[in-house]
Amino acid sequence: MRGLLVGRMQPVHQGHLQVIKRILEEVEEVIIGIGSAQLSHTIKDPFTAGERMMMLSKALAENGIPASNYYIIPVQDIECNSLWVAHMEMLTPPFEHVYSGNPLVQRLFTEKGYQVTQPPLFNREIYSGTEVRRRMLADEKWDQLLPESVVEVIHEIKGISRIKHLARKEVSDTK
Ligand code: NAD
């Protein structure tokens, strides 16, 4: 059986990793959609789809999850929510089960007849992209919220200086 998880993963954090491990206890293969793939270089979506794919594949390797157990697929957003499930189906291998904590994602797949499960949230107050990005901007400790290999990717791509530069730019754009 194959399951689907889709997320923006800005950036990939421990919550994503825990939920992927949990899904793989239930299905043989998981399809991980990197959502909003067209977005990057904003405070809310600082990382490109390629960078997020790199974070994810390194984090899964670091945790001993074999590449034969997952597919990582970038997925751009589309205007029409009512067509989004068909858009996902066009881009991914077939799947039977959807895992999501996002109410809109749950709604769209349920309406098309998919079995949708809300996986348990792990430390959601801190394992959240919003919290990681907030800490990055505030010079607070953010690295323990991410798999070690993701921290290395963020250093490699100079992610902290990028997000700080974007924050300065967004402030100056509003003046
Ligand atoms: P996200 O990265 O916030 O979360 C993805 C999933 O990871 C969640 O559903 C949840 O199951 C899991 N997760 C996150 N933190 C966790 C934690 N601490 N513990 C356990 N699990 C945790 O991404 P998201 O915002 O849900 O992504 C949905 C994507 O789907 C977006 O890119 C959105 O644009 C896209 N989308 C697009 C359309 C469209 O194009 N019309 C419609 C619907 C959704």
Side-chain angles (χ1 to χ4, degrees):
M1 197 153 78
R2 220 169 281 115
L4 172 78
L5 174 77
V6 57
R8 283 176 31 246
M9 316 216 181
Q10 288 283 10
V12 173
H13 56 64
Q14 293 288 4
H16 295 128
L17 188 63
Q18 296 304 320
V19 82
I20 290 166
K21 284 184 181 169
R22 177 64 67 90
I23 293 169
L24 281 171
E25 287 172 12
E26 289 183 15
V27 293
E28 289 84 48
E29 295 181 355
V30 60
I31 302 159
I32 309 161
I34 303 279
S36 306
Q38 80 283 8
L39 297 181
S40 72
H41 294 82
T42 67
I43 297 188
K44 188 169 171 236
D45 292 280
F47 305 113
T48 68
E51 289 164 346
R52 289 176 275 156
M53 288 172 71
M54 184 163 68
M55 291 173 193
L56 195 52
S57 57
K58 285 182 188 289
L60 296 173
E62 179 190 345
N63 282 270
I65 300 172
S68 55
N69 287 144
Y70 61 85
Y71 304 85
I72 302 176
I73 300 187
V75 182
Q76 298 200 10
D77 292 330
I78 59 166
E79 285 289 328
C80 307
N81 281 334
S82 59
L83 297 180
W84 185 65
V85 170
H87 175 65
M88 293 293 302
E89 288 169 336
M90 176 184 75
L91 294 171
T92 63
F95 53 90
E96 293 79 36
H97 205 116
V98 177
Y99 297 86
S100 179
N102 179 315
L104 176 61
V105 173
Q106 291 173 350
R107 175 92 221 151
L108 296 177
F109 278 106
T110 304
E111 284 188 9
K112 296 296 176 200
Y114 280 95
Q115 202 185 339
V116 178
T117 301
Q118 168 144 6
L121 286 170
F122 302 93
N123 276 346
R124 183 59 177 167
E125 328 70 60
I126 58 167
Y127 292 162
S128 105
T130 307
E131 175 63 9
V132 173
R133 297 189 305 274
R134 187 196 68 73
R135 289 188 186 199
M136 286 172 165
L137 282 174
D139 281 330
E140 289 176 25
K141 218 156 167 37
W142 51 272
D143 50 349
Q144 75 260 37
L145 308 187
L146 311 182
E148 228 173 276
S149 49
V150 176
V151 174
E152 282 167 22
V153 171
I154 288 172
H155 288 312
E156 180 193 331
I157 63 176
K158 301 189 174 49
I160 303 302
S161 82
R162 179 189 301 171
I163 198 169
K164 287 188 173 173
H165 184 250
L166 292 168
R168 288 197 297 276
K169 183 182 171 306
E170 286 188 17
V171 168
S172 74
D173 284 353
T174 56
K175 281 186 182 160

